[in-house]
Amino acid sequence: MNSFSRRHRPTAAVLISLAVAAGVTACGSGSGGGSEGADSGTYTVWDPYPQFAKGTAWTKLLDKCGTAAGVKIKRTAFDTSDLTNKALLAAQQGNSPDLLIVDNPVVSTLAEAGVLTTTDDNKLDTSKIDPNLLAAGQSGGKTYGTPIGANTLALYYNKKVLKQAGVDVASVKDWASLTAALEKVRKAGKKGITFSAIGTEEGSFQFLPWFWGAGAKLTRLDSAQGESALSLWKGWVKSGVAPNSVLNNTQTTSWQEFTTGEYAFAENGTWQLAGAKKAGLDYGVLPIPGASGGTAAAPTGGEFVTLPAQDDTGRYPTSQKLATCLTSTQNLYDTDTTLSYVAPTTEVQDKQVAADPELKPWVAAVRTAKGRTSDDLGTKYPKISEQMWKAVQSALSGSKSPKDALTDAQSAVK
């Protein structure tokens, strides 16, 4: 067993440095309590879903799984960044929860800190999980949890704007045809495409499909492929088919631009589906094309169910039952419908599409998606991402050429 005895716990300094590397803010340990000193019949769950109060479908599912395992559930919800830091500090204090549900890029940070058990240790079955989604929770050849669902990016398009501009969306198959469509829209007096290029992780998240779609790798930011992706965005802003506001757009403000009905395309996520319907737009969804065609790999969002290491290893079998219950076929379907996520297994994805055909392009996007920490980047990713978004900002603002921006970014990473 990967027991996490107190004498081997990382120091607070190490844990806080990892928290900083993951891009979260240091803060004091909070309430919520872990398993240490808890009633043996009570199991603690921490999650990043504060929007779901007691009595909602999510909390009812937790209680249902607890009842099935013969225990009571004590659940505490945190904001995503707060949860990461709380988990790191709780581990140092020997007060980790029994189940921890965290944003997938954080898994490698917690694993490196020694906070999590591996699936070899905790016996979680991940055999049905799509390998590209499971990869976000893998580090050093080991797996540290199982995804509860995934979201990703694609292109929303406004059918009315495209029709007015004489653009057939079926013609958009690669970067050249997309750019041609944007130019036709601009000449028709409408706006082309909006996205988020803000100087935060959101900017990197939105740039990655184009970066990967060019064939670039995160280990080499300054490759010719990476330069071509940044040059694409730069060209769009310079020609006016993308607004200057992308430099400060979050994914939310970018979405608000699209819902004005003036834009032909918007790069955004699965989580905007409900908002798209409420906006009353006649819209469609198109997977982000690769440079030469096909579907570009987009980054995966979504959370992993993990089992933190405990001094009392006898708690693991019940924790495993709880995690297995939460990620069973029916419960995944119900939970991912609630979260507007795509399920991590083909079986449940097919069930989702059968119930809602509008999810078909999103399932296609998720099946080709990629974890930000995949390729064994682990805790190297936050530093790479920071230099990436700085390069995007420099190029789009005109302070550096795409080539110089990415060359400087690569030098900073090294």
Side-chain angles (χ1 to χ4, degrees):
M1 281 289 183
N2 180 23
S3 63
F4 193 50
S5 63
R6 204 166 285 161
R7 65 180 178 276
H8 294 309
R9 287 193 180 105
T11 65
V14 170
L15 288 165
I16 290 173
S17 71
L18 283 165
V20 172
V24 300
T25 307
C27 60
S29 62
S31 62
S35 61
E36 190 165 282
D39 180 346
S40 61
T42 300
Y43 278 66
T44 51
V45 177
W46 290 3
D47 68 52
Y49 310 132
Q51 70 271 34
F52 297 128
K54 189 172 179 60
T56 58
W58 170 246
T59 60
K60 287 179 179 178
L61 174 60
L62 290 173
D63 290 339
K64 172 185 167 185
C65 289
T67 299
V71 298
K72 292 182 179 179
I73 298 297
K74 180 182 180 183
R75 177 250 184 172
T76 307
F78 299 93
D79 288 330
T80 297
S81 59
D82 196 24
L83 175 58
T84 305
N85 194 61
K86 289 287 199 300
L88 288 164
L89 294 179
Q92 196 272 333
Q93 296 164 356
N95 200 29
S96 291
D98 293 290
L99 255 64
L100 179 62
I101 302 170
V102 291
D103 195 18
N104 71 64
V106 175
V107 175
S108 58
T109 297
L110 298 179
E112 185 170 311
V115 175
L116 306 176
T117 59
T118 70
T119 52
D120 287 338
D121 291 334
N122 58 45
K123 308 307 178 188
L124 268 179
D125 181 8
T126 60
S127 61
K128 292 183 179 179
I129 305 297
D130 288 354
N132 67 314
L133 301 182
L134 190 62
Q138 295 174 325
S139 180
K142 296 183 182 297
T143 303
Y144 289 91
T146 187
I148 201 164
N151 56 51
T152 194
L153 297 166
L155 294 178
Y156 288 85
Y157 60 89
N158 186 315
K159 295 180 181 179
K160 181 179 179 181
V161 171
L162 291 183
K163 184 177 180 179
Q164 290 174 341
V167 173
D168 179 2
V169 75
S171 70
V172 178
K173 298 181 182 298
D174 53 21
W175 291 1
S177 55
L178 174 57
T179 300
L182 294 174
E183 286 292 346
K184 287 185 73 172
V185 169
R186 183 181 64 81
K187 289 176 181 177
K190 294 293 185 177
K191 297 178 180 179
I193 186 168
T194 178
F195 50 88
S196 169
I198 194 170
T200 68
E201 175 60 23
E202 284 188 77
S204 290
F205 190 73
Q206 290 239 319
F207 183 59
L208 276 171
W210 311 97
F211 184 80
W212 283 334
K217 295 182 179 180
L218 286 171
T219 51
R220 178 79 189 281
L221 293 177
D222 60 347
S223 67
Q225 294 91 338
E227 183 186 343
S228 70
L230 189 47
S231 295
L232 178 74
W233 270 20
K234 172 69 176 177
W236 286 350
V237 173
K238 188 176 180 180
S239 70
V241 299
N244 287 321
S245 59
V246 298
L247 274 161
N248 298 308
N249 270 348
T250 63
Q251 293 181 109
T252 299
T253 56
S254 172
W255 180 252
Q256 289 168 348
E257 287 181 337
F258 182 66
T259 58
T260 63
E262 297 177 355
Y263 284 85
F265 293 93
E267 179 184 356
N268 226 294
T270 325
W271 55 90
Q272 303 290 12
L273 276 171
K277 293 172 183 175
K278 286 181 181 178
L281 297 174
D282 188 9
Y283 74 95
V285 178
L286 181 73
I288 296 172
S292 302
T295 299
T300 57
E303 293 76 40
F304 266 62
V305 180
T306 67
L307 276 64
Q310 306 288 344
D311 284 336
D312 179 5
T313 59
R315 300 182 69 84
Y316 294 151
T318 298
S319 296
Q320 189 262 4
K321 287 181 183 178
L322 294 172
T324 299
C325 176
L326 291 175
T327 56
S328 68
T329 296
Q330 185 58 47
N331 289 338
L332 273 180
Y333 176 78
D334 293 340
T335 298
D336 290 334
T337 299
T338 298
L339 294 171
S340 289
Y341 283 1
V342 173
T345 68
T346 300
E347 179 183 7
V348 183
Q349 290 167 3
D350 290 344
K351 187 175 179 181
Q352 288 180 301
V353 171
D356 183 0
E358 290 185 10
L359 287 175
K360 188 174 181 178
W362 290 107
V363 168
V366 164
R367 285 177 177 173
T368 59
K370 186 173 181 178
R372 284 163 277 174
T373 59
S374 296
D375 300 328
D376 221 22
L377 287 177
T379 54
K380 297 175 186 174
Y381 173 75
K383 186 175 182 180
I384 294 170
S385 175
E386 180 180 3
Q387 296 309 318
M388 174 180 278
W389 80 58
K390 286 181 177 179
V392 169
Q393 287 269 303
S394 295
L396 298 194
S397 67
S399 64
K400 294 179 184 177
S401 68
K403 182 179 178 64
D404 288 345
L406 289 170
T407 297
D408 291 347
Q410 185 61 32
S411 295
V413 169
K414 288 181 178 178

